[in-house]
Amino acid sequence: DKSKTKEKTELSEHKIERIENINRLNSSKSNEPQRNIDVLIIGTSVVKDLEPRKIYRNKQVKINTLKEKTIKGARSFIQSQSNKMPVNNVVIQVGSNDLDFEDSIDQVIPPFIELLKETKESMPPDCNIFVGEILPRFYQNRTETRKFDEKRLDFNKILENHTEEYGFTIIRQKNMTRNDFRDGIHLSLEKGVPTYVRNLKEILNPILGISSGNNQQRRERVQYNRGYNHQYGIQNCHQSYSNGHQYANYNDNQYQNGREYPSYQNEREH
């Protein structure tokens, strides 16, 4: 009986020691300073195919594809994250759906300005704010394409006139063409995503202390090993949207699983 009692006591002491070790480990982790997010990208489905590790391997990049892919959805997300995230740079890529739904940019500009104000209030004081200009859309109906493009260009111009007033920097995507989109609205993996990210990094690299000189540029090819479940894939590219638009089928076949795509990492990170 004494030996059994001794054995139970030793087991109990061992358990207590293990619990104390676990508590000490958890305590040390909780006391570690939280690493800042170098780049936070908030956007609609335009950014859903961006992959953080392929943008910057040695930087902390976080991408949030909004559930409600509108300015209102972005405002709700920003408000919910107020003072929670130590963010150095935030990129906002929203507004295209709002422009599509509304007849006039006058209905879109005011809520977007409020989004900028709330972002500035919610993010750390030294956080840099970047706004991706509205990308083009290519409908099957040329009249609808032209109508959207007029609103898009006017919206981007108004934003450009407010950069100093609201303290943000515009990320321009002037070199985007029809061939950069797989269904008229979403970026193609082979061309659109790399083009978008190169334009993004052209602005962010100096802020992040990354050199991108010609002698240091290098191109890699990376294997996409995961299957992409595109919401508007090739098979559904004639799908009607809630506002009645349809997008052109460009018959891009580059979205097969396992195919290699060009990396958009072409800089040397310090």
Side-chain angles (χ1 to χ4, degrees):
D1 292 339
K2 289 183 179 180
S3 62
K4 289 183 178 179
T5 302
K6 182 179 180 182
E7 185 177 344
K8 288 181 179 179
T9 302
E10 289 176 349
L11 285 173
S12 298
E13 291 177 349
H14 180 66
K15 287 181 179 179
I16 293 173
E17 185 178 357
R18 284 189 61 191
I19 292 172
E20 288 177 347
N21 288 336
I22 291 172
N23 289 338
R24 278 195 296 269
L25 181 61
N26 290 336
S27 177
S28 63
K29 286 183 177 180
S30 63
N31 292 330
E32 290 177 359
Q34 186 177 2
R35 180 179 174 182
N36 283 22
I37 297 172
D38 294 303
V39 181
L40 170 65
I41 301 174
I42 303 168
T44 63
S45 52
V46 169
V47 304
K48 72 185 179 71
D49 286 324
L50 305 185
E51 295 190 36
R53 292 290 293 173
K54 291 178 183 176
I55 299 176
Y56 291 115
R57 287 176 298 179
N58 300 320
K59 300 294 182 183
Q60 187 80 358
V61 179
K62 182 177 180 180
I63 298 173
N64 184 282
T65 303
L66 299 166
K67 292 181 180 179
E68 183 181 350
K69 299 170 177 57
T70 61
I71 296 171
K72 180 181 177 182
R75 292 179 65 184
S76 297
F77 175 78
I78 289 294
Q79 291 167 4
S80 69
Q81 300 298 316
S82 179
N83 300 319
K84 290 183 180 180
M85 298 182 295
V87 180
N88 295 336
N89 302 281
V90 60
V91 178
I92 300 172
Q93 184 67 63
V94 298
S96 54
N97 289 332
D98 300 83
L99 275 184
D100 203 4
F101 298 148
E102 302 294 349
D103 293 328
S104 170
I105 62 172
D106 294 335
Q107 298 168 285
V108 182
I109 288 293
F112 197 93
I113 294 299
E114 290 303 311
L115 169 62
L116 292 174
K117 292 179 180 177
E118 290 164 359
T119 302
K120 193 169 185 178
E121 293 172 358
S122 301
M123 293 294 140
D126 56 348
C127 176
N128 300 307
I129 301 174
F130 301 88
V131 175
E133 67 178 9
I134 304 297
L135 304 183
R137 289 187 170 187
F138 299 96
Y139 304 113
Q140 289 181 329
N141 186 312
R142 292 185 179 181
T143 301
E144 292 295 333
T145 297
R146 185 169 58 253
K147 181 180 177 181
F148 178 84
D149 212 47
E150 289 174 356
K151 291 191 292 183
R152 176 183 74 88
L153 293 174
D154 288 343
F155 183 88
N156 289 340
K157 187 174 181 180
I158 291 174
L159 278 187
E160 192 168 352
N161 292 334
H162 286 83
T163 53
E164 292 186 9
E165 181 180 356
Y166 295 102
F168 66 93
T169 301
I170 289 184
I171 297 175
R172 294 177 175 81
Q173 300 285 348
K174 299 293 186 184
N175 50 351
M176 283 283 180
T177 68
R178 179 188 295 266
N179 293 328
D180 290 304
F181 297 86
R182 59 184 171 86
D183 57 4
I185 182 170
H186 298 97
L187 299 173
S188 67
L189 295 178
E190 189 170 57
K191 298 185 66 177
V193 169
T195 300
Y196 181 92
V197 173
R198 280 195 296 271
N199 291 333
L200 176 72
K201 294 176 75 171
E202 182 178 345
I203 302 299
L204 291 181
N205 282 358
I207 305 295
L208 297 172
I210 297 174
S211 175
S212 56
N214 291 332
N215 293 334
Q216 296 173 343
Q217 288 185 359
R218 58 192 176 89
R219 297 194 54 110
E220 299 173 353
R221 297 190 68 83
V222 295
Q223 185 79 21
Y224 281 71
N225 291 321
R226 68 180 177 87
Y228 284 89
N229 181 21
H230 294 296
Q231 184 180 359
Y232 306 108
I234 297 304
Q235 295 178 351
N236 299 317
C237 54
H238 286 296
Q239 173 183 355
S240 294
Y241 290 75
S242 58
N243 60 350
H245 293 310
Q246 290 183 325
Y247 298 91
N249 179 357
Y250 301 114
N251 294 319
D252 290 340
N253 295 317
Q254 67 265 37
Y255 305 102
Q256 300 172 2
N257 296 341
R259 176 168 178 174
E260 291 184 346
Y261 298 91
S263 169
Y264 31 83
Q265 286 179 331
N266 58 355
E267 294 86 11
R268 180 172 299 169
E269 300 180 24
H270 300 303

